[in-house]
Amino acid sequence: MSANKSDHVALAYDRWAPIYDLVFGPVFRRGRRAAIAAAERAGGRILEVGVGTGLSLPGYSRQNLVHGIDISAPMLWKARVRAVAQGLGHVGGLAVMDAEQLAFADASFDVVVAQYVVTAVPNPERALDEFLRVLRPGGLMVIATRIGAEGGLRAVIERRLMPVTSRLGWRTEFPWARYANWAARAEGVQLVQRLPLPPLGHFSLIQFAKRQGHAVALADR
Ligand SMILES: C[S@@+](CC[C@H](N)C(=O)[O-])C[C@H]1O[C@@H](n2cnc3c(N)ncnc32)[C@H](O)[C@@H]1O
């Protein structure tokens, strides 16, 4: 079931790949910059989940080691071309992989970054669990994302748009409560920041820290 849904999302982004930078490059620029700045403050081994065409890759400083994964091979191909063309030596690897089943050992990274990805994956909480698993204790999760309205007209519109946007590769309906509930259940997770981004605050920068001493508990889940 989940695999089929992931295939469907991959196909949607396979189709976006040729024009993605043109359409979504400027739209997400502000959030991308904010996410990179947050990741840079922590630094070290960085995993960018849903790296897409690699628009963010040149933004990381060369002292860090960045790995990128994405479920869409055509999107990732563009990231590879970018990394080679721009000589991005800090990019350690780019692999086709599902955010819900990361092929990395526990505690492999200092920072996990996900920009405009959580609302695209079929089972967001499963992906968040995976981000936490591959993060070292004390590490940082940086998420740039759209937060859906809790109520009112915007919530109604977002719900109505769901059938359309799902076909395009993302969901419009995704309230903050999903993150809050996940963090409450996950244990060992601390909200560091929830920052609505201008101009309208529909997109936010969210940071969670993985508390020290939770590696075993998470690995056992
Ligand atoms: C809206 S794009 C964002 C791309 C990039 N992070 C950016 O800021 O431009 C969403 C990306 O998430 C990827 N994606 C969706 N579902 C995924 C999954 N289950 N595992 C890994 N990547 C996924 C898509 O292929 C796409 O590249």
Side-chain angles (χ1 to χ4, degrees), residues 57-81:
L57 294 175
Y60 293 101
S61 64
R62 305 305 184 254
Q63 293 93 306
N64 297 312
L65 181 62
V66 182
H67 280 78
I69 69 108
D70 202 283
I71 202 155
S72 162
M75 292 286 279
L76 201 69
W77 174 252
K78 293 208 133 199
R80 286 199 181 112
V81 169

Side-chain angles (χ1 to χ4, degrees), residues 9 13 20 32 50 52 70-72 75 97-99 115-116 121:
V9 174
Y13 283 97
Y20 182 87
R32 242 181 247 118
D70 202 283
I71 202 155
S72 162
M75 292 286 279
M97 204 182 288
D98 189 343
Q115 305 178 32
Y116 309 104
V121 303

Side-chain angles (χ1 to χ4, degrees), residues 152-163:
L153 180 61
R154 183 156 81 89
V156 174
I157 294 170
E158 286 171 355
R159 238 188 335 272
R160 296 241 169 107
L161 283 175
M162 276 291 282

Side-chain angles (χ1 to χ4, degrees), residues 30-43 45-50 60 110-118 128 131-132 135 139-145 179 182 190-193 195 197 204-210:
R30 195 189 291 257
R32 242 181 247 118
R33 283 194 184 138
I36 292 168
E40 283 283 320
R41 280 193 288 278
R45 298 160 300 167
I46 298 173
L47 173 65
E48 187 163 325
V49 178
Y60 293 101
D110 301 294
V111 187
V112 174
V113 182
Q115 305 178 32
Y116 309 104
V117 178
V118 172
L128 291 170
F131 299 175
L132 201 58
L135 206 54
L140 190 67
M141 197 186 292
V142 179
I143 298 169
T145 192
Y179 288 100
W182 169 78
Q190 185 183 0
L191 178 66
V192 176
Q193 185 181 42
L195 179 70
L197 297 168
S204 292
L205 182 73
I206 301 165
Q207 296 187 63
F208 290 108
K210 178 171 172 177

